[in-house]
Amino acid sequence: MIKKRVISVLSCALALVAAVYLLTLLTMPKYISSSREGNLISEYYGEVDKDIAHQVLFVGDCEVYESFVPANLWEEQGITSYVRGSPQQLIWQSYYLLREMLEYETPDVVVLGVFSMKYGEGQSEVYNRMTIDGMRWSDEKWGAVRSSLTEGESTLSYAIPLLRFHSRWQELTLEDVRYMWRRESVSHNGYLMQMGVLPRPSERVEGSQLIDTSLPDICFEYLDKIRELCAESGVTLVLVKAPTNNWRYWWYDEWDEQISEYCESYGLDYYNLIDNCEIGIDWERDTYDGGVHLNVWGAEKTTSYLGRLLAEKYCLADLRGDAQTSRIWQEKLEKYKEEKERAGQNE
């Protein structure tokens, strides 16, 4: 009798776990037809599962995943890379993502986008989810959760996402069923292609005046952690500000000075690409949203500039002569060019 009861209880428990798991897969946002950037973080594991390593890892917010093109970096310099970016990725999220990546591989260079240094606290549950939900469970994910919670969020809802997304029942579509188990790749090694064109206004409007010009202390604390992590791993850390600069997301001279001073103190390289004439950005053609972010043509120009810099200054090897690596990356390059051509035809 007792044995039957134990079996019955275990069976019910397993059925409950299976039901929660299946409902979680069904109700979680799929980020395919809209908000595609919500898939970026999880796509990195496709490289991990195939044991593909990279010479350069990019980490940061939209200023990395819409500014740097790994396919272009390969085609021109023979450098392998991955962009681990996500919307409004906060500096502590970058730290935990990088810590996780260094468990899988050791690149030569890590390129960190600095725009998120302006945020001293969690900003949005939506953006937190787009970064954290895509991570596999690990100490790093748990650290990212604890560091990022905004008011009203609970750590339990990240462990059991059904607690957060159960209310999506009324929003479910066939897409939610189709991509329960596997989702289509939306990026090219983390780069999210944008084909639209919306010129920056001819009259340039600067951001509003800052009341406090200091970047948050907590951001420098996590920048210290990232710097120390790279040093321990024998990785060169490079900081970069993408060439975009719009009044909605203004990069102030005072912030730039603080980053420059920090890098000078620790012997790091920092490249502010705003108004860098060598890149050749055409603000009539190379942005898809009025100068806030780059489209594919602006991103390719920016990547070409940074690629030459990476190859020359950091002596990164040209791997196009390696047969196995070349086979993998030529396939990636072809897929990139196919999407660009296909998207161009639909414009």
Side-chain angles (χ1 to χ4, degrees):
M1 180 68 70
I2 294 177
K3 184 177 180 180
K4 288 184 177 179
R5 288 182 179 177
V6 171
I7 292 174
S8 177
V9 170
L10 289 176
S11 298
C12 290
L14 288 173
L16 178 61
V17 170
V20 169
Y21 177 68
L22 291 173
L23 289 173
T24 297
L25 291 178
L26 178 63
T27 57
M28 286 190 71
K30 304 306 184 291
Y31 304 118
I32 298 294
S33 59
S34 62
S35 302
R36 295 184 302 156
E37 56 268 39
N39 270 324
L40 296 178
I41 291 298
S42 62
E43 289 188 1
Y44 172 71
Y45 301 112
E47 302 283 284
V48 170
D49 293 341
K50 295 176 183 176
D51 200 27
I52 298 176
H54 311 90
Q55 294 164 282
V56 180
L57 293 176
F58 294 86
V59 192
D61 57 15
C62 52
E63 290 207 349
V64 296
Y65 71 74
E66 289 183 338
S67 297
F68 303 109
V69 189
N72 182 254
L73 198 55
W74 167 259
E75 183 178 33
E76 295 187 353
Q77 303 294 340
I79 294 173
T80 61
S81 62
Y82 200 95
V83 180
R84 197 87 188 278
S86 56
Q88 203 177 76
Q89 185 181 117
L90 304 170
I91 186 70
W92 44 90
Q93 294 170 349
S94 297
Y95 165 69
Y96 285 109
L97 286 167
L98 179 58
R99 207 169 85 174
E100 179 199 47
M101 287 188 286
L102 293 180
E103 291 289 326
Y104 295 120
E105 60 177 306
T106 304
D108 296 301
V109 176
V110 164
V111 178
L112 173 69
V114 299
F115 189 75
S116 65
M117 289 285 293
K118 65 179 284 189
Y119 299 114
E121 59 186 13
Q123 299 294 302
S124 163
E125 180 190 4
V126 172
Y127 288 137
N128 281 348
R129 291 282 175 182
M130 286 186 174
T131 298
I132 299 171
D133 278 342
M135 297 177 70
R136 290 177 175 173
W137 267 107
S138 62
D139 289 342
E140 286 73 30
K141 179 167 181 171
W142 184 241
V145 170
R146 288 180 297 145
S147 302
S148 304
L149 292 179
T150 57
E151 186 176 356
E153 288 189 83
S154 71
T155 54
L156 187 59
S157 70
Y158 282 90
I160 309 176
L162 183 62
L163 296 175
R164 174 63 181 85
F165 296 116
H166 67 278
S167 59
R168 287 193 70 242
W169 278 111
Q170 297 178 343
E171 305 171 17
L172 295 180
T173 66
L174 290 176
E175 185 175 275
D176 288 291
V177 177
R178 180 181 178 185
Y179 296 111
M180 275 182 65
W181 302 101
R182 184 179 179 181
R183 301 177 196 176
E184 296 176 355
S185 175
V186 301
S187 77
H188 298 274
N189 267 48
Y191 168 69
L192 190 63
M193 186 181 297
Q194 300 289 352
M195 292 290 294
V197 177
L198 180 63
R200 188 170 69 182
S202 55
E203 183 178 348
R204 191 173 184 183
V205 181
E206 296 189 1
S208 58
Q209 186 174 358
L210 285 176
I211 297 175
D212 182 0
T213 61
S214 300
L215 290 169
D217 290 340
I218 190 172
C219 293
F220 282 106
E221 291 174 13
Y222 274 93
L223 185 54
D224 281 338
K225 291 177 181 289
I226 291 173
R227 174 179 54 79
E228 292 165 0
L229 180 62
C230 287
E232 292 168 2
S233 303
V235 177
T236 299
L237 175 63
V238 174
L239 276 59
V240 66
K241 171 65 184 73
T244 57
N245 206 27
N246 181 281
W247 67 270
R248 289 166 53 197
Y249 303 99
W250 195 257
W251 184 247
Y252 293 88
D253 291 341
E254 292 88 346
W255 295 347
D256 194 67
E257 290 172 5
Q258 291 168 65
I259 298 296
S260 296
E261 289 173 3
Y262 180 93
C263 289
E264 186 176 349
S265 297
Y266 292 102
L268 302 178
D269 289 331
Y270 166 51
Y271 302 102
N272 182 343
L273 304 182
I274 299 174
D275 295 329
N276 186 313
C277 297
E278 293 183 47
I279 298 175
I281 295 293
D282 177 357
W283 291 108
E284 291 290 314
R285 184 178 184 273
D286 295 337
T287 174
Y288 73 91
D289 56 1
V292 182
H293 306 97
L294 300 174
N295 59 23
V296 66
W297 296 282
E300 287 182 349
K301 290 178 181 179
T302 304
T303 304
S304 294
Y305 173 82
L306 188 65
R308 293 191 297 271
L309 197 76
L310 290 171
E312 295 168 7
K313 184 161 186 178
Y314 304 102
C315 301
L316 297 183
D318 182 342
L319 298 181
R320 285 173 290 189
D322 182 90
Q324 183 177 357
T325 304
S326 184
R327 177 182 57 80
I328 293 170
W329 276 87
Q330 281 305 118
E331 183 178 336
K332 291 176 182 290
L333 180 59
E334 288 172 10
K335 288 181 179 179
Y336 170 78
K337 289 185 174 181
E338 285 172 5
E339 180 181 340
K340 185 179 176 183
E341 181 178 358
R342 186 170 60 250
Q345 292 172 349
N346 294 331
E347 285 294 316

